[in-house]
Amino acid sequence: MLITGAGGGLGSAAARVFAERGWQVFAADLVPPEPAPNQTPLTLDVTSTASVSAAIDTVAAGVPDGLGCVVNFAGVLGVGPLVEIEEDLLRRVLDVNVLGTYRVNKAAFPLLRAGGGRILNISSEVGWQRALPLNGPYAMSKHAIEAYSDALRRELMFVGVPVVVIQPGPFRTELTGGAAKALNAAVRPGSPFEALTARTARLAGRAAAGADPAELTEVIWTAATTARPRRRYSVRPDRGRRFLHHLPTPVADAMLRRTLGG
């Protein structure tokens, strides 16, 4: 098994559980975790095709008969007003979250096919919900993962490689915990979005606790090991966001205007 984004947070938690339960895990990240029983650290930059190729070569040497699963956890947060966000930041969010997933799956495909394996793409609740203000860059990337995963699943079903999407809500990680700080850092002094950003950051700070990562890890275990995995697993979506998503769009917009407009 190859898990990207395994240097910390949810990816690290998943890597530990699979290793403890007997899987041979390649735990990959820019700064990978320490070696552990059944867990091999692997330096990987998903934005570099050369780095991805080198990592897959290492995996192939360790599992010459093929790979049972790839879990694409590698991702970064991107927030801020879309008419102000720097192009380099937006490009990085899409490069890591979308193209990084594409690069890893493309390189790992021959090993997955040989090993009768499957792909787990980590999306988010924001991948299926209508995007909220100041969350555009991240939402764009996760909506793209949803579309990519649908197309990939419908291609790879013809060659026997299942593709599964995992859609976590807020869980306790550095990513969710740093959302308020990231929002405050994203707005320029004198921006017309200063007040909106401050109010949104306060709400993000209140929601930062999130659920226990162990719950998500168990869902990933099921998706990786069950004989017939679902196409999608939605895991603890935020109730407020889910409610807002299902409202008629004009009603939801009016509610956001009242809540965030001051």
Side-chain angles (χ1 to χ4, degrees):
M1 160 179 273
L2 169 64
I3 301 181
T4 71
L10 298 172
S12 176
R16 284 195 304 272
V17 166
F18 277 88
E20 289 167 359
R21 296 179 184 179
W23 281 59
Q24 182 180 0
V25 178
F26 293 89
D29 211 325
L30 284 169
V31 181
E34 294 297 319
N38 293 330
Q39 182 171 286
T40 302
L42 196 60
T43 301
L44 173 62
D45 177 0
V46 299
T47 69
S48 165
T49 301
S51 177
V52 171
S53 296
I56 295 300
D57 287 345
T58 301
V59 172
V63 286
D65 293 331
L67 192 59
C69 188
V70 170
V71 185
N72 288 287
F73 261 113
V76 294
L77 182 67
V79 294
L82 285 169
V83 293
E84 292 185 352
I85 189 169
E86 294 295 334
E87 184 176 335
D88 285 347
L89 174 57
L90 180 58
R91 182 182 292 111
R92 172 162 175 75
V93 172
L94 297 175
D95 197 12
V96 173
N97 296 3
V98 184
L99 291 176
T101 299
Y102 148 81
R103 291 185 187 100
V104 170
N105 289 337
K106 180 180 179 182
F109 172 66
L111 282 177
L112 286 164
R113 191 177 183 194
R118 65 189 60 175
I119 292 169
L120 274 58
N121 289 334
I122 306 300
S123 179
S124 165
E125 65 173 349
V126 308
W128 58 266
Q129 296 166 353
R130 294 188 186 94
L132 293 176
L134 306 180
N135 198 30
Y138 188 67
M140 288 166 63
S141 73
K142 294 305 183 179
H143 274 254
I145 285 293
E146 295 282 338
Y148 163 73
S149 299
D150 277 334
L152 188 67
R153 184 187 70 252
R154 288 172 171 169
E155 293 169 1
L156 299 195
M157 68 182 182
F158 292 101
V159 293
V161 177
V163 177
V164 179
V165 175
I166 310 292
Q167 300 166 322
F171 283 82
R172 290 196 298 272
T173 66
E174 292 180 3
L175 191 73
T176 54
K181 183 178 179 181
L183 279 163
N184 285 321
V187 68
R188 301 172 181 173
S191 166
F193 304 103
E194 275 187 311
L196 171 63
T197 301
R199 285 188 285 271
T200 304
R202 284 195 295 272
L203 291 173
R206 292 177 203 156
D212 184 351
E215 183 176 348
L216 177 62
T217 299
E218 289 302 320
V219 173
I220 292 169
W221 172 264
T222 298
T225 59
T226 190
R228 299 183 66 180
R230 301 178 196 168
R231 292 167 178 82
R232 281 174 167 79
Y233 291 82
S234 177
V235 193
R236 289 290 293 270
D238 179 82
R239 285 182 291 181
R241 282 176 174 266
R242 182 171 56 185
F243 171 74
L244 193 68
H245 172 77
H246 289 295
L247 289 174
T249 301
V251 175
D253 287 355
M255 185 175 291
L256 285 169
R257 186 186 292 272
R258 286 195 301 271
T259 302
L260 299 175

